[in-house]
Amino acid sequence: MSKSLPYSVKDIHYDNAKFRHRSPLKVFSQSLLTLGTKRKYASCSTGKFLILILFFGVACLMLMSKSPNESVLNEKGKVTFVGGLRLGRLLRKPPRLPPRLSPDEGQLRGSSTNGSTIDPKWAARQQSVKEAFDHAWSGYRKYAMGYDELMPISQKGVDGLGGLGATVVDALDTAMIMGLDNIVSEAGSWVETHLLERISQKGQVNLFETTIRVLGGLLSAYHLSGGEHGTMNMTHVGPKPVIYLNIAKDLADRLLSAFTSSPTPIPFCDVILHESTAHPAPGGASSTAEVASVQLEFNYLSAISGDPKYSTEAMKVLAHIKTLPKTEGLVPIYISPQTGDFVGENISNFTYLHDMYIEAMKGVRHLLVRNSIPKGLVFVGELPYGSKGEFSPKMDHLVCFLPGTLALGATKGLTKEQALKENLLSFEDLENLKLAEDLAKTCFEMYEVTATGLAPEIAYFHTKDYSEDGLDGGNKSSMYANDIIIKPADRHNLLRPETVESLFVLYRITKDTKYRDQGWQIFEAFEKYTKVKSGGYTSLDDVTEVPPHRRDKMETFFLGETLKYLYLLFGDDSVIPLDKFVFNTEAHPLPIRNT
């Protein structure tokens, strides 16, 4: 058996360090230690893998189930693109615009588009989230405009994601959805004036992170600003939709070198933008999760641009992985671009459209799902040494996207009531919905069990085979204080979105208001412990202590995902409906194309 990668996480110096110039040995050694907590990067955690792969599986199901004329495999295993896939400097201050109601607020004065009356309590709470977003943006605009991320305590910007102004692009469609035209104007003007030049001049970026954050953000902005013949227009300010599309094509053309430079269908993980060249990561392997999670963006770009090259290259990855051996639908988390084979035996999960999604979820339930003691929380653990090795009761916060994905996979975005009425739910769908609700409870209890009410990056669970004393979350009154174990190196909070993402999806599907209540409780904890008075929000070092030590970093996904999902959780179902949109890994909504 080949040596497996470690699964414990050491992230005390989290700083997106993979983008800084260091020796290959240092890059590789530090990567092995930190991959598990770096956001959506090559992680050996079940959470990372499930987040990227299962979400894509459901997305493919939603995007492709209604149309036979899609990207298909011919007899030789080649991908063919058929039909339409469903799937500058700021020279002047933006003009002061009259206030405009957001799509939700326009309905709050009376009834929503589906005839239901909006509860004033949730309207007020949604407004609080909107104000939080404005506060986060104000800090970024004042101290870090054009940088990837804000350090709100130091009041400066930092480039940890390639220097493409990641926060601007990540936040843009959130501002559109919230109806914050002043922010849309500021962010859109920066994109139009500066981003194309940045793309042409910058050096190394990560294929996956750049695709989900920047390419995905541009494509979502294109659609929400009136692209595709004005089928949706959430904003009347900022650049014309074609501006976002043209920048997206330029970026994607450069990112394609990751695919075309590789000797196999598996792309390299790093791209030099100004050269349009690519190379493998230190150590050679790519993350299976990463290379199999960029298809949504490239497929959609092919659909709206009419150029099949983006889809063709991206879909070759799945065509190849489909042919590789699996264990009950589960595969190792690393894959070699040089050989096209999996590397190691650390098992998380992988799916290929609907059949493989179903197969993979059976494998998850059989091999990875366990119950804690003494109170029986349901959690998803890991098999760091393969399917025949020892089970680890470790669950990353990243896994907490899974409840929402399971619910989407079951109802295809319809409410549970509607799906039952139309006889669309199989026994397996109902099983997955039950698992989704059980896991969502566990994810919420990871917040509830701590002194701050905010979840750690990683939790372990007390089982008959695993126990550690003195490592509780600090909230002695929690009934699950003895079920959840939080190790010192795992106690940080990065403002992650996965739990509120699942709460949003489960509320939309089940209409159970407990998910809204839980989301509000989490939002209040963010407000209490992470808000920085001068502007912005910060990640924390230790959620088990009050007051918690602050880390001085506002991740781009706090604006792009966490606050977006909370805003939608408290709003009307007709805004970004789940049966008409699919969210990419970075919560950028793209339309389900029925062609």
Side-chain angles (χ1 to χ4, degrees):
M1 181 173 69
S2 60
K3 185 177 180 181
S4 298
L5 295 170
Y7 59 84
S8 62
V9 173
K10 309 270 193 300
D11 189 39
I12 296 173
H13 304 293
Y14 176 87
D15 65 351
N16 288 310
K18 69 174 177 291
F19 294 100
R20 309 186 189 284
H21 295 292
R22 294 162 295 159
S23 70
L25 178 60
K26 185 176 181 181
V27 172
F28 185 60
S29 61
Q30 183 168 340
S31 295
L32 291 179
L33 291 174
T34 61
L35 291 181
T37 57
K38 293 189 118 179
R39 172 128 199 324
K40 298 187 178 81
Y41 187 55
S43 161
C44 42
S45 71
T46 304
K48 174 66 175 82
F49 202 84
L50 287 169
I51 287 171
L52 304 181
I53 303 307
L54 279 177
F55 195 85
F56 174 70
V58 176
C60 286
L61 168 62
M62 295 173 67
L63 292 174
M64 301 180 70
S65 61
K66 296 184 181 180
S67 173
N69 294 327
E70 306 290 349
S71 287
V72 297
L73 294 174
N74 63 22
E75 303 129 347
K76 297 182 180 178
K78 236 175 147 184
V79 177
T80 305
F81 181 85
V82 184
L85 287 173
R86 293 190 306 161
L87 291 160
R89 224 177 307 184
L90 295 174
L91 298 178
R92 62 184 184 279
K93 184 177 180 180
R96 184 176 297 277
L97 298 166
R100 183 176 70 85
L101 294 178
S102 72
D104 275 0
E105 291 173 316
Q107 297 161 9
L108 297 183
R109 305 300 174 88
S111 297
S112 68
T113 56
N114 60 16
S116 62
T117 301
I118 305 300
D119 187 335
K121 177 179 76 171
W122 295 110
R125 291 181 172 183
Q126 188 184 53
Q127 179 63 26
S128 295
V129 176
K130 186 174 178 178
E131 291 168 0
F133 179 89
D134 187 70
H135 182 78
W137 175 263
S138 71
Y140 174 78
R141 183 186 63 243
K142 282 188 292 186
Y143 305 120
M145 190 69 181
Y147 286 93
D148 284 333
E149 295 159 315
L150 167 68
M151 299 177 68
I153 298 172
S154 302
Q155 298 182 353
K156 63 181 181 181
V158 60
D159 281 335
L161 294 163
L164 299 181
T167 290
V168 180
V169 189
D170 240 0
L172 181 54
D173 61 1
T174 307
M176 289 179 177
I177 291 169
M178 291 182 175
L180 290 167
D181 279 356
N182 60 321
I183 297 179
V184 174
S185 179
E186 291 168 351
S189 295
W190 188 92
V191 168
E192 182 175 20
T193 307
H194 294 285
L195 186 53
L196 201 59
E197 181 182 18
R198 291 276 183 100
I199 291 169
S200 68
Q201 294 178 354
K202 288 298 179 178
Q204 179 173 307
V205 298
N206 176 264
L207 169 66
F208 169 71
E209 294 288 356
T210 307
T211 298
I212 66 170
R213 300 185 196 226
V214 184
L215 182 59
L218 289 168
L219 294 174
S220 181
Y222 165 77
H223 180 76
L224 297 182
S225 63
E228 297 192 79
H229 309 294
T231 54
M232 171 169 281
N233 194 342
M234 284 193 162
T235 183
H236 300 284
V237 299
K240 295 179 180 179
V242 69
I243 299 296
Y244 298 123
L245 177 58
N246 288 338
I247 298 173
K249 287 193 294 184
D250 184 274
L251 176 60
D253 286 342
R254 298 171 190 271
L255 295 176
L256 278 181
S257 63
F259 300 88
T260 58
S261 299
S262 173
T264 71
I266 305 304
F268 293 139
C269 72
D270 293 321
V271 174
I272 308 299
L273 289 177
H274 68 86
E275 296 177 353
S276 293
T277 60
H279 57 84
S286 293
S287 163
T288 311
E290 292 186 4
V291 301
S293 298
V294 297
Q295 285 69 28
L296 181 62
E297 294 85 354
F298 283 97
N299 277 330
Y300 181 63
L301 181 55
S302 278
I304 60 178
S305 68
D307 191 337
K309 67 183 180 184
Y310 308 109
S311 174
T312 299
E313 292 299 330
M315 292 302 288
K316 285 179 182 177
V317 179
L318 297 183
H320 175 76
I321 294 180
K322 182 182 180 183
T323 67
L324 299 179
K326 305 166 185 66
T327 302
E328 298 189 38
L330 309 182
V331 301
I333 65 169
Y334 291 106
I335 190 167
S336 170
Q338 286 81 11
T339 67
D341 297 326
F342 291 122
V343 178
E345 296 186 59
N346 189 343
I347 288 182
S348 292
N349 194 10
F350 176 73
T351 62
Y352 183 76
L353 304 183
H354 189 235
D355 289 344
M356 293 196 66
Y357 168 75
I358 295 300
E359 180 188 6
M361 282 319 307
K362 288 179 180 177
V364 169
R365 288 198 302 267
H366 180 218
L367 297 175
L368 301 179
V369 173
R370 298 284 194 279
N371 292 86
S372 68
I373 58 174
K375 296 296 185 180
L377 288 173
V378 177
F379 69 95
V380 176
E382 297 183 355
L383 292 169
Y385 303 105
S387 61
K388 300 186 185 305
E390 183 179 354
F391 177 83
S392 171
K394 166 183 174 285
M395 180 165 138
D396 289 35
H397 186 277
L398 290 165
V399 174
C400 289
F401 100 104
L402 182 56
T405 294
L406 286 166
L408 283 172
T411 73
K412 318 304 181 289
L414 301 176
T415 65
K416 180 180 179 181
E417 181 181 15
Q418 184 180 354
L420 285 170
K421 183 177 180 181
E422 297 181 19
N423 199 28
L424 298 177
L425 298 181
S426 66
F427 175 77
E428 200 154 40
D429 290 331
L430 293 171
E431 269 194 330
N432 283 342
L433 269 177
K434 176 64 167 60
L435 178 58
E437 298 208 61
D438 289 343
L439 287 174
K441 175 178 174 57
T442 300
C443 291
F444 177 70
E445 295 302 335
M446 288 168 62
Y447 286 75
E448 184 79 353
V449 79
T450 72
T452 58
L454 292 170
E457 180 73 0
I458 296 170
Y460 287 77
F461 292 84
H462 181 195
T463 68
K464 62 182 179 62
D465 299 316
Y466 181 85
S467 179
E468 289 194 52
D469 296 326
L471 297 176
D472 61 74
N475 179 10
K476 303 297 185 183
S477 65
S478 168
M479 67 179 293
Y480 298 101
N482 294 323
D483 288 63
I484 298 175
I485 298 164
I486 306 175
K487 298 184 178 184
D490 304 330
R491 293 176 177 175
H492 49 288
N493 180 286
L494 304 181
L495 311 173
R496 287 201 184 276
E498 289 79 21
T499 293
V500 295
E501 172 185 356
S502 285
L503 297 180
F504 156 64
V505 173
L506 281 166
Y507 172 71
R508 285 275 184 100
I509 286 175
T510 68
K511 309 309 295 180
D512 190 331
T513 56
K514 72 180 180 185
Y515 297 116
R516 277 183 159 181
D517 293 329
Q518 291 170 358
W520 178 249
Q521 187 172 323
I522 291 170
F523 174 73
E524 286 190 305
F526 278 131
E527 286 288 290
K528 184 174 183 179
Y529 292 110
T530 73
K531 191 171 187 176
V532 178
K533 186 175 181 180
S534 59
Y537 291 75
T538 183
S539 50
L540 305 177
D541 269 333
D542 189 344
V543 296
T544 70
E545 295 181 351
V546 175
H549 185 267
R550 296 179 163 193
R551 277 197 165 192
D552 198 15
K553 172 73 75 69
M554 184 173 75
E555 305 288 343
T556 76
F557 49 75
F558 185 65
L559 291 87
E561 300 188 66
T562 307
L563 293 178
K564 181 185 293 162
Y565 284 129
L566 284 166
Y567 182 83
L568 292 171
L569 170 63
F570 303 144
D572 186 76
D573 292 7
S574 64
V575 179
I576 316 294
L578 293 180
D579 60 340
K580 293 181 171 57
F581 283 86
V582 60
F583 291 88
N584 85 335
T585 309
E586 194 75 7
H588 296 303
L590 299 175
I592 298 173
R593 296 172 57 83
N594 299 306
T595 56

